[in-house]
Amino acid sequence: MAEPRRENSGPVGPPLLDLTIDNITPNTIRINSQSDDQRLTYLLSRLVTHLHDFARETRLSTDEWMAGLEFLIACGKICSEVRNEFILLSDTLGLSLLLDNINHPKPAGATEGSVLGPFHTHDAPLLENGASMTSDPAGEPMLAVCTVRDTAGNPIEGIKIDIWETDSSGHYDVQHSDRNEPSERCVMLSDEEGRFWFKGLKPVSYPIPHDGPVGKLLERLGRHPWRPAHIHFMFEKEGWDKLITALYLKGDPYETSDAVFGVKKSLVIELGKVDKETAEKYGVEEGTWLLKHDFVLTTQKDTEKLRDDLAKEALAKLGLHNLKLVDHLPVPDLD
Amino acid sequence: MAEPRRENSGPVGPPLLDLTIDNITPNTIRINSQSDDQRLTYLLSRLVTHLHDFARETRLSTDEWMAGLEFLIACGKICSEVRNEFILLSDTLGLSLLLDNINHPKPAGATEGSVLGPFHTHDAPLLENGASMTSDPAGEPMLAVCTVRDTAGNPIEGIKIDIWETDSSGHYDVQHSDRNEPSERCVMLSDEEGRFWFKGLKPVSYPIPHDGPVGKLLERLGRHPWRPAHIHFMFEKEGWDKLITALYLKGDPYETSDAVFGVKKSLVIELGKVDKETAEKYGVEEGTWLLKHDFVLTTQKDTEKLRDDLAKEALAKLGLHNLKLVDHLPVPDLD
């Protein structure tokens, strides 16, 4: 390991000596405030404050601290190309849902967001409208016929839509160790009338991966790891606010106790059945499960304005007044 | 993966639906409060509160969240039997020093604590008093002659003392990939007069491992990774409060800017030189560096009482009134 230069022996200011329960926090923030990156400085100052306050309020013991570090190491060790235990942790602690709400506020009438989860991949095939995205013969076939519109009802053409769901056993393709290629996932583009349609499976409820540290934590907390049956959608096109959402099946036993807090009433849907005419039109059997949904997107500009307004309002309510928004993110206002 | 039982479909209480920036926190705390372990419930409630407050106060962006998760994964991946990046993170964010202060408060006259750091091992050899704990011919030899006493000045016999320091290159043995056996570390026992003495090396300043994620973070923050020259000591014996501390050499360029905040004035010492008489007595050369120090320990009982008193005082000051101490740790007082 190359040794860093020794010239820089610390920040200007009082010596870092004899740090106590009471003065360690301002001193740590001070030494973390030497960078020109004001956003990083602000993030670290709030992180250190909350970390230290947590320790002071809980009088965290040395054994508990070590157990926490071991938990984080175990989370890191189990992560792989196809498993992200820290997303699971974030999801199960409610952080992911909170961040979606903060980053993608929706005006009335727009489709609400939900959690991304750890199972989106970047290798899903681009399929033509009408194609099948499943290779699982054991699942119950479902035809999905959807539209994407703006808040005024105009169709949006050429939106890239990522769609992913589990197979009939409740596992995403990446959870199978013998996965050769993507399955139960695809990318589509909306047509000139904002429509997209595909053949998939009726979603089933499933437990999030619970054989790792997050599963053990849920067990110790007396929580179940189940998610209600759902199918994920992600919409992206320049100029439009990226929408990460999911549709949930009404009546699922976990509809009101989702382990990752993702369900919103507006995203709970009832499946229908394909009638004779639709069956002929889309080339499926009559009586097949039918998902019909109209998604409504907002523009990036509208979302950024709404986000900024809500941020200013929230920061004022929190008593954080010496902040300004730069690139839509709060930083200390040093002027 | 075995599927968990499906009977438990969630906690009693309102449905977990339509969670927002404002109601996600109490709802997450509620679903985390189903266990009989009151301490765990309290820890999780404070953890979730601080995690969510951090997100709300910073309006954390999705990209920043993902960068944070990637940082945690990288920390986990670099951890091994001989490297603990999360201890480094805790040390450099001031958490470790804070926790030592909370867990091991000292009455006046007792030796103060310092950070454990990530380099203590459990394979150090038990050496007889007077033995050498170094195998590095390039270092400057140092004789250490110390005592351990209680706060009334009575010697403490049979204390187990872990001692560890770097070699002359500023690396602990475990940082060398060709490490075959422990070096620059040992365990000793104090004699009937509370004395212990050994041959080691004059400590040198060194950077903490900075080739991993924590080093990159320090660099982005404009912080140097250096620790002032020091030697670690850990004292353990039933009935006595475990003392984790270190002695620091006066005049080190990093004396007042320790990357891990460990230095306390009472732990800064000046080395002397061995005179003729001492040289003969301990079998070292005249003029060898001499470390003389008297350590003062407190009883476990006294420390627990002091810790409890300080905890009650701090919690009251923080406005956390509905708590009681069980096994010296705060839990909600439900009576």
Side-chain angles (χ1 to χ4, degrees):
Chain A
M1 178 185 340
E3 297 209 347
R5 290 185 307 149
R6 298 179 70 132
E7 290 86 51
N8 176 9
S9 61
V12 181
L16 288 170
L17 273 175
D18 286 331
L19 297 176
T20 66
I21 294 176
D22 296 318
N23 70 15
I24 181 78
T25 308
N27 277 291
T28 306
I29 290 174
R30 179 168 61 83
I31 205 170
N32 281 342
S33 300
Q34 304 170 75
S35 140
D36 292 331
D37 185 337
Q38 288 298 311
R39 177 66 179 165
L40 183 66
T41 299
Y42 180 59
L43 288 175
L44 261 288
S45 77
R46 298 315 303 160
L47 179 69
V48 165
T49 298
H50 284 296
L51 191 65
H52 290 192
D53 282 349
F54 171 72
R56 279 187 285 254
E57 291 168 6
T58 61
R59 317 301 288 182
L60 194 69
S61 77
T62 307
D63 287 347
E64 290 167 341
W65 169 74
M66 190 52 79
L69 300 186
E70 293 296 334
F71 177 83
L72 292 171
I73 292 175
C75 285
K77 293 293 179 202
I78 208 171
C79 286
S80 69
E81 284 298 309
V82 293
R83 178 162 184 168
N84 191 323
E85 195 79 358
F86 285 110
I87 292 188
L88 276 188
L89 183 60
S90 171
D91 289 356
T92 53
L93 293 183
L95 179 64
S96 307
L97 191 277
L98 172 61
L99 291 178
D100 184 71
N101 284 349
I102 287 173
N103 283 282
H104 301 285
K106 306 293 178 198
T111 300
E112 292 190 274
S114 190
V115 291
L116 172 68
F119 294 116
H120 176 254
T121 71
H122 293 278
D123 67 353
L126 178 66
L127 298 185
E128 291 291 321
N129 271 309
S132 169
M133 66 166 205
T134 175
S135 60
D136 177 9
E140 294 183 54
M142 178 182 79
L143 172 70
V145 180
C146 307
T147 66
V148 198
R149 300 180 181 278
D150 66 16
T151 50
N154 304 305
I156 308 174
E157 184 183 356
I159 285 258
K160 179 189 167 210
I161 309 137
D162 271 79
I163 307 161
W164 66 107
E165 64 172 336
T166 70
D167 61 20
S168 59
S169 78
H171 296 91
Y172 291 91
D173 55 358
V174 292
Q175 294 179 277
H176 293 291
S177 54
D178 59 350
R179 178 194 200 248
N180 290 318
E181 54 185 17
S183 190
E184 289 76 46
R185 63 177 76 239
C186 71
V187 174
M188 313 201 90
L189 292 171
S190 57
D191 72 8
E192 67 284 0
E193 291 180 55
R195 297 175 302 191
F196 64 98
W197 61 99
F198 61 93
K199 292 160 193 148
L201 298 176
K202 182 188 177 193
V204 296
S205 28
Y206 64 85
I208 59 169
H210 54 90
D211 58 340
V214 170
K216 289 195 189 82
L217 176 63
L218 292 185
E219 196 179 339
R220 280 198 61 186
L221 291 170
R223 286 176 56 176
H224 74 69
W226 287 85
R227 297 212 66 202
H230 63 277
I231 176 168
H232 293 272
F233 296 88
M234 181 161 74
F235 299 84
E236 278 180 282
K237 186 183 181 180
E238 181 137 5
W240 298 91
D241 187 50
K242 182 171 171 177
L243 171 64
I244 298 167
T245 192
L247 297 176
Y248 297 86
L249 297 199
K250 192 177 168 79
D252 188 283
Y254 305 103
E255 186 180 323
T256 59
S257 71
D258 183 1
V260 304
F261 311 104
V263 185
K264 291 172 179 175
K265 283 197 201 89
S266 69
L267 302 175
V268 176
I269 56 156
E270 283 188 274
L271 296 186
K273 292 278 180 133
V274 170
D275 61 20
K276 194 176 172 197
E277 188 189 349
T278 309
E280 278 166 13
K281 182 173 175 188
Y282 292 97
V284 298
E285 281 185 34
E286 196 180 333
T288 299
W289 291 109
L290 175 65
L291 182 160
K292 288 193 77 170
H293 200 72
D294 300 317
F295 295 91
V296 179
L297 266 61
T298 54
T299 64
Q300 193 181 334
K301 205 175 147 192
D302 285 350
T303 301
E304 281 174 357
K305 184 177 181 317
L306 184 56
R307 193 192 144 135
D308 285 359
D309 291 346
L310 291 172
K312 285 175 200 158
E313 192 184 311
L315 295 172
K317 213 167 138 189
L318 289 167
L320 298 167
H321 296 294
N322 298 319
L323 298 172
K324 61 182 175 186
L325 297 182
V326 173
D327 295 333
H328 314 286
L329 297 172
V331 298
D333 188 355
L334 303 174
D335 301 333
Chain B
M1 178 184 340
E3 297 207 347
R5 289 185 307 148
R6 299 178 70 133
E7 291 86 52
N8 177 9
S9 61
V12 181
L16 288 171
L17 271 175
D18 285 331
L19 297 176
T20 67
I21 295 175
D22 296 316
N23 71 15
I24 180 78
T25 308
N27 276 291
T28 306
I29 290 173
R30 179 168 62 83
I31 204 171
N32 281 341
S33 300
Q34 305 170 76
S35 138
D36 291 331
D37 184 336
Q38 288 299 309
R39 176 67 178 165
L40 183 66
T41 299
Y42 181 58
L43 288 175
L44 262 287
S45 76
R46 298 316 302 161
L47 179 70
V48 165
T49 299
H50 284 296
L51 190 66
H52 290 193
D53 282 350
F54 171 72
R56 279 186 286 254
E57 290 168 6
T58 61
R59 316 301 288 183
L60 193 70
S61 78
T62 307
D63 288 347
E64 290 167 340
W65 169 75
M66 191 52 78
L69 299 187
E70 292 296 334
F71 177 84
L72 292 173
I73 292 175
C75 286
K77 291 294 179 203
I78 209 171
C79 286
S80 68
E81 284 297 310
V82 294
R83 178 162 184 167
N84 191 324
E85 197 78 357
F86 285 109
I87 291 187
L88 276 188
L89 182 61
S90 170
D91 289 356
T92 54
L93 293 183
L95 179 64
S96 306
L97 192 277
L98 172 60
L99 290 179
D100 184 71
N101 284 349
I102 287 173
N103 283 282
H104 300 285
K106 305 294 178 198
T111 300
E112 293 190 275
S114 191
V115 290
L116 172 69
F119 294 117
H120 176 255
T121 71
H122 293 279
D123 66 352
L126 178 66
L127 298 185
E128 291 291 318
N129 270 309
S132 169
M133 66 166 207
T134 176
S135 60
D136 177 9
E140 295 184 54
M142 178 182 79
L143 172 69
V145 180
C146 306
T147 65
V148 199
R149 297 181 183 278
D150 66 17
T151 49
N154 305 303
I156 308 175
E157 185 184 356
I159 285 260
K160 179 189 166 207
I161 309 138
D162 270 81
I163 307 161
W164 68 107
E165 64 172 336
T166 71
D167 61 19
S168 59
S169 79
H171 295 92
Y172 291 90
D173 55 358
V174 291
Q175 294 180 276
H176 293 292
S177 55
D178 59 350
R179 178 194 201 246
N180 290 317
E181 54 184 19
S183 191
E184 289 76 47
R185 64 176 77 240
C186 71
V187 174
M188 313 202 89
L189 293 172
S190 58
D191 72 7
E192 68 284 0
E193 292 179 55
R195 297 175 304 192
F196 64 98
W197 61 99
F198 61 93
K199 292 159 191 150
L201 298 176
K202 183 188 176 191
V204 296
S205 30
Y206 66 85
I208 60 169
H210 54 91
D211 59 341
V214 170
K216 290 197 187 82
L217 176 64
L218 292 185
E219 197 179 337
R220 281 197 62 185
L221 291 171
R223 286 176 57 176
H224 74 68
W226 287 85
R227 297 213 66 203
H230 64 276
I231 177 169
H232 293 272
F233 295 89
M234 182 161 72
F235 299 84
E236 279 180 281
K237 186 182 180 183
E238 180 139 4
W240 298 91
D241 186 49
K242 182 172 171 176
L243 171 64
I244 297 167
T245 192
L247 297 176
Y248 297 86
L249 297 199
K250 193 178 169 78
D252 188 283
Y254 305 103
E255 186 180 323
T256 60
S257 70
D258 182 1
V260 304
F261 311 102
V263 185
K264 290 172 179 176
K265 284 196 199 88
S266 69
L267 302 175
V268 177
I269 57 155
E270 283 189 274
L271 296 185
K273 293 278 182 133
V274 169
D275 63 18
K276 195 178 171 196
E277 189 190 350
T278 309
E280 279 167 12
K281 182 173 174 187
Y282 290 97
V284 298
E285 281 185 34
E286 196 179 333
T288 300
W289 291 108
L290 176 65
L291 182 161
K292 287 194 77 173
H293 200 72
D294 300 316
F295 294 91
V296 179
L297 266 60
T298 54
T299 63
Q300 192 182 333
K301 205 176 147 189
D302 284 351
T303 301
E304 282 174 356
K305 184 176 182 320
L306 184 56
R307 193 193 144 134
D308 285 358
D309 290 346
L310 291 171
K312 284 175 202 160
E313 193 184 309
L315 295 172
K317 213 167 139 188
L318 289 166
L320 298 167
H321 296 294
N322 298 319
L323 297 173
K324 61 182 174 185
L325 298 181
V326 173
D327 295 334
H328 314 286
L329 297 171
V331 298
D333 189 354
L334 304 174
D335 300 333

